[in-house]
Amino acid sequence: MAYEQARGRRASGQRADGRFAAGASKTVAAPAERVFAAFADPARRRAWLPGAETAVRTATAPASFRAGWSADGTLVAVYRTAQGGRTRVGLQHEKPAGAEAAARMKAYRRQRLGVLKELLERG
């Protein structure tokens, strides 16, 4: 895909099927169970993702979490990988409307993951 992007045949964030996706990831100094709870528990989720209306589709503790993003009807997928006492969190916003929406969501996700990291590492 980098080849196609370099030649202007595919936009940044555009997948092979033509749809867009916006991803971000962060490593957090917290166990996977605590990270999972920050997504799965509505009160904890509001602490770092205020105003976000989501409808949980699947939640498999502590590995994955999928929810509908009510603002635009897209899907958010979260994957976690334990790395010792740390956890790698990957957020994928699937099916945004286009390249601009994907870029906005990517920036938003990165910023919110930074807030999540601060909250979890503070205790």
Side-chain angles (χ1 to χ4, degrees):
M1 287 205 272
Y3 175 86
E4 292 174 340
Q5 287 176 350
R7 283 150 187 78
R9 295 182 185 161
R10 186 175 310 278
S12 179
Q14 191 173 17
R15 298 179 349 179
D17 63 7
R19 294 183 292 172
F20 287 86
S25 63
K26 180 85 59 187
T27 300
V28 179
E33 293 77 15
R34 272 189 60 218
V35 175
F36 180 82
F39 286 91
D41 180 274
R44 290 181 186 184
R45 189 170 53 244
R46 281 191 297 275
W48 68 275
L49 202 57
E53 295 295 324
T54 58
V56 177
R57 293 187 180 187
T58 61
T60 306
S64 67
F65 176 88
R66 293 173 65 87
W69 189 256
S70 300
D72 60 8
T74 57
L75 178 68
V76 177
V78 182
Y79 303 96
R80 284 161 296 287
T81 307
Q83 298 175 332
R86 300 165 22 130
T87 304
R88 182 88 175 151
V89 183
L91 261 169
Q92 182 76 15
H93 195 94
E94 300 174 359
K95 302 179 186 177
E100 286 183 24
R104 277 193 312 274
M105 288 311 299
K106 185 170 191 161
Y108 175 74
R109 296 276 178 233
R110 283 184 175 162
Q111 192 269 337
R112 298 320 307 168
L113 280 176
V115 171
L116 174 65
K117 177 181 174 80
E118 286 179 30
L119 286 171
L120 289 173
E121 290 181 355
R122 265 192 284 160

